[in-house]
Amino acid sequence: MTVNDDSFTNWKIREEIAESMIPLIGKLHRERDVTVLLHSRSLVNKSVVSILKTHRFARQIAGAELSVTETMPFLQALTALDLGPAQIDLGLLAGMYKADDRGLSVAEFTAEAVAGATGANKIERREPRDVVLYGFGRIGRLVARLLIEKAGSGNGLRLRAIVVRGGGAQDIVKRASLLRRDSIHGQFQGTITVDEDTSTIVANGNAIKVIYADDPSAVDYTEYGIRDAILIDNTGKWRDREGLSKHLRPGIEKVVLTAPGKGDVPNIVHGVNHDTVKPDEQILSCASCTTNAIVPPLKAMDDEYGVLRGHVETVHSFTNDQNLLDNYHKSERRGRSAPLNMVITETGAASAVAKALPDLKAKISGSSIRVPVPDVSIAILNLQLSRETTRDEVHNYLREVSLTSPLRRQIDFTTAPDAVSSDFIGSRHASIVDAGALKVDGDNAILYLWYDNEFGYSCQVVRVVQHVSGVEYPTFPATAV
């Protein structure tokens, strides 16, 4: 048999195993609210090839490809357990099992590693929590996609309505079309139908009422059967507590802003300070995409090395706030054509760090350049550390943070030598450390952090909403801080 034959046979074997994993992953998700992950990447609703690619990706960060032949026994062991709602990472299970020298079987080790999600320890399944989207632009539609995707067993978050201004004839049809097809993020994974008579979009069985209103005060959400909902404001029109309080109408319990909050509105970066949200807090912000990109790695570096001062330069994709062609704009420079120019502009991300990391004493400055790409940005984080280190040490530390730390859902890591911005479209992490671009000289470190400023940020928003609504389930196996 030739090498080519061996490779093809091996592929077919792995393809068959991945195919048999799909119903097991789906059943755990639908019936028990268990999300199966691989190095923080969900395997729910993934194709055979996607599952195999996710396993292969482990080669970049862990140094060796993770085979489905290694992870399948752990998945089979999970199906035999009395599991409650949880997130379970097969990559962590396989890695920790390899390092364990007690001679346990896969079934025994798995039962021990996820004991916090079984039997008397398991969390009871939550009742569905209503969610309303106020505004349906770039972030609103991506958050909608994520909420629909995560509907799972019907427990958890349930998108009940979107609120928009009336747009004339076939408004709801056009909005459904924008949800169905996206020039950057591709086609919606599923089916979408429209009932114009009832002003409803049905996406993968989720009936979403489209409410037309020019102002929050015009809506009584209880009229639509909505109770104790979390409203996500994607418009950015109101950013202080007084303005956002307008959303606290009948049927709405909490308001989450997808832009930096002003005044005393808490700016929350999931993974860093989401645990500080008070149970009775009704209004909070998810900060900006750039703040979400830089704060987790900044925290990681400060925890290990101490940060004395820093500067962040963001090279940011253009946004709807800019003009396609030169025209009047209230801000300086943003009136110039976005697809034709690099545009120097301001960023509030550096100043927002203090809200998310109040214990960080370092002064962080920042600036931004908008460039002619439609999505994915890069933040260059230049840090003076409190001690000298080496490139290899920082490289290995950040790789480990991306694999096993509490920030592993926020920080990703790539060693791909030919990586460019479009490779990170659809990333669910807040930022991705580019290992090849990392620079360290004594007490100075420069990190290059890619981030999908649309989709990665939307994932962070949904994580915050899951947390404040009580449907964010613990991840197993637990890892050291």
Side-chain angles (χ1 to χ4, degrees):
M1 183 176 286
T2 67
V3 173
N4 286 341
D5 288 337
D6 284 343
S7 297
F8 185 69
T9 299
N10 181 262
W11 169 262
K12 299 303 288 184
I13 291 171
R14 289 186 292 125
E15 192 176 45
E16 184 177 358
I17 294 172
E19 194 171 69
S20 64
M21 295 175 86
I22 292 174
L24 301 182
I25 293 168
K27 188 173 183 179
L28 284 170
H29 186 56
R30 288 190 307 274
E31 296 183 2
R32 306 189 198 178
D33 275 352
V34 172
T35 300
V36 177
L37 310 172
L38 189 80
H39 287 314
S40 299
R41 289 164 168 78
S42 174
L43 296 182
V44 176
N45 292 328
K46 295 297 187 289
S47 67
V48 168
V49 172
S50 180
I51 290 174
L52 292 175
K53 285 181 69 176
T54 304
H55 278 74
R56 182 163 176 75
F57 182 80
R59 180 173 60 103
Q60 286 199 36
I61 49 179
E65 181 173 344
L66 188 61
S67 173
V68 288
T69 60
E70 296 176 78
T71 57
M72 182 59 163
F74 295 96
L75 180 60
Q76 291 171 324
L78 290 174
T79 62
L81 297 174
D82 178 27
L83 288 168
Q87 299 185 102
I88 300 178
D89 197 311
L90 297 181
L92 285 177
L93 275 173
M96 293 172 69
Y97 181 68
K98 279 184 180 180
D100 190 89
D101 59 1
R102 293 175 295 165
L104 300 177
S105 68
V106 167
E108 290 169 336
F109 181 84
T110 302
E112 179 182 275
V114 302
T118 60
N121 296 323
K122 67 182 181 181
I123 296 172
E124 293 302 317
R125 300 172 77 177
R126 305 282 197 260
E127 289 297 316
R129 186 67 177 272
D130 290 352
V131 178
V132 173
L133 297 178
Y134 197 96
F136 206 50
R138 297 299 302 156
I139 300 303
R141 292 195 295 273
L142 291 178
V143 169
R145 285 188 173 200
L146 286 164
L147 291 172
I148 294 163
E149 170 196 301
K150 294 177 181 297
S153 62
N155 299 281
L157 301 179
R158 181 173 59 173
L159 178 56
R160 295 292 309 279
I162 62 173
V163 184
V164 293
R165 292 183 177 180
Q170 290 197 307
D171 178 273
I172 189 172
V173 173
K174 293 175 181 177
R175 294 187 189 277
S177 180
L178 286 169
L179 178 62
R180 185 181 292 114
R181 300 179 183 88
D182 190 284
S183 300
I184 296 170
H185 300 283
Q187 299 239 359
F188 174 80
Q189 297 300 304
T191 63
I192 294 175
T193 58
V194 174
D195 187 334
E196 290 187 80
D197 293 336
T198 61
S199 192
T200 303
I201 297 173
V202 181
N204 290 357
N206 295 268
I208 307 162
K209 183 73 174 180
V210 179
I211 302 170
Y212 293 101
D214 293 330
D215 188 83
S217 62
V219 189
D220 180 343
Y221 295 94
T222 59
E223 294 180 357
Y224 305 96
I226 296 171
R227 299 284 188 278
D228 302 322
I230 296 177
L231 182 144
I232 306 174
D233 184 329
N234 305 290
T235 68
K237 183 176 180 180
W238 304 277
R239 296 194 180 189
D240 59 10
R241 187 173 295 275
E242 181 182 0
L244 292 168
S245 294
K246 296 178 180 180
H247 290 303
L248 294 174
R249 302 283 299 152
I252 303 299
E253 184 182 12
K254 295 180 185 290
V255 179
V256 174
L257 171 66
T258 61
K262 295 182 178 180
D264 67 341
V265 174
N267 279 250
I268 304 302
V269 175
H270 190 276
V272 175
N273 67 336
H274 65 280
D275 288 337
T276 66
V277 179
K278 298 176 181 177
D280 60 350
E281 179 61 74
Q282 288 188 287
I283 295 173
L284 54 91
S285 157
C286 290
S288 70
C289 57
T290 302
T291 303
N292 276 265
I294 66 173
V295 165
L298 185 57
K299 173 177 168 49
M301 292 298 289
D302 187 53
D303 287 347
E304 181 67 16
Y305 301 102
V307 174
L308 299 181
R309 65 178 58 87
H311 176 81
V312 60
E313 187 78 33
T314 70
V315 182
H316 199 291
S317 59
F318 62 78
T319 67
N320 270 333
D321 181 57
Q322 296 172 255
N323 292 332
L324 284 174
L325 295 171
D326 290 1
N327 208 344
Y328 172 81
H329 196 290
K330 63 180 180 180
S331 299
E332 294 180 353
R333 306 191 202 236
R334 292 197 187 194
R336 302 299 298 278
S337 173
L340 297 177
N341 295 288
M342 293 189 292
V343 179
I344 298 174
T345 186
E346 72 281 349
T347 176
S351 59
V353 168
K355 278 195 168 185
L357 280 176
D359 294 335
L360 180 72
K361 305 307 179 186
K363 176 179 174 55
I364 306 295
S365 59
S367 52
S368 179
I369 303 172
R370 297 287 179 92
V371 294
V373 294
D375 188 31
V376 180
S377 305
I378 189 168
I380 305 167
L381 193 56
N382 193 330
L383 304 175
Q384 182 185 354
L385 308 176
S386 62
R387 67 176 175 89
E388 292 192 354
T389 181
T390 65
R391 185 184 184 283
D392 284 346
E393 184 186 345
V394 175
H395 175 282
N396 293 333
Y397 169 66
L398 290 175
R399 180 177 63 184
E400 193 61 28
V401 165
S402 75
L403 283 171
T404 62
S405 84
L407 291 171
R408 62 187 179 274
R409 296 174 71 193
Q410 283 69 44
I411 301 175
D412 204 0
F413 191 88
T414 181
T415 58
D418 55 352
V420 294
S421 61
S422 61
D423 295 326
F424 304 104
I425 293 174
S427 170
R428 295 179 180 237
H429 288 77
S431 61
I432 306 100
V433 176
D434 192 311
L438 174 66
K439 292 176 173 57
V440 179
D441 182 10
D443 64 353
N444 178 246
I446 304 175
L447 279 56
Y448 288 75
L449 308 166
W450 298 102
Y451 58 108
D452 185 329
N453 48 277
E454 292 187 335
F455 197 73
Y457 176 67
S458 296
C459 290
Q460 283 286 90
V461 171
V462 171
R463 289 171 189 138
V464 170
V465 174
Q466 287 176 317
H467 177 73
V468 299
S469 62
V471 297
E472 182 181 38
Y473 299 128
T475 301
F476 296 95
T479 57
V481 175

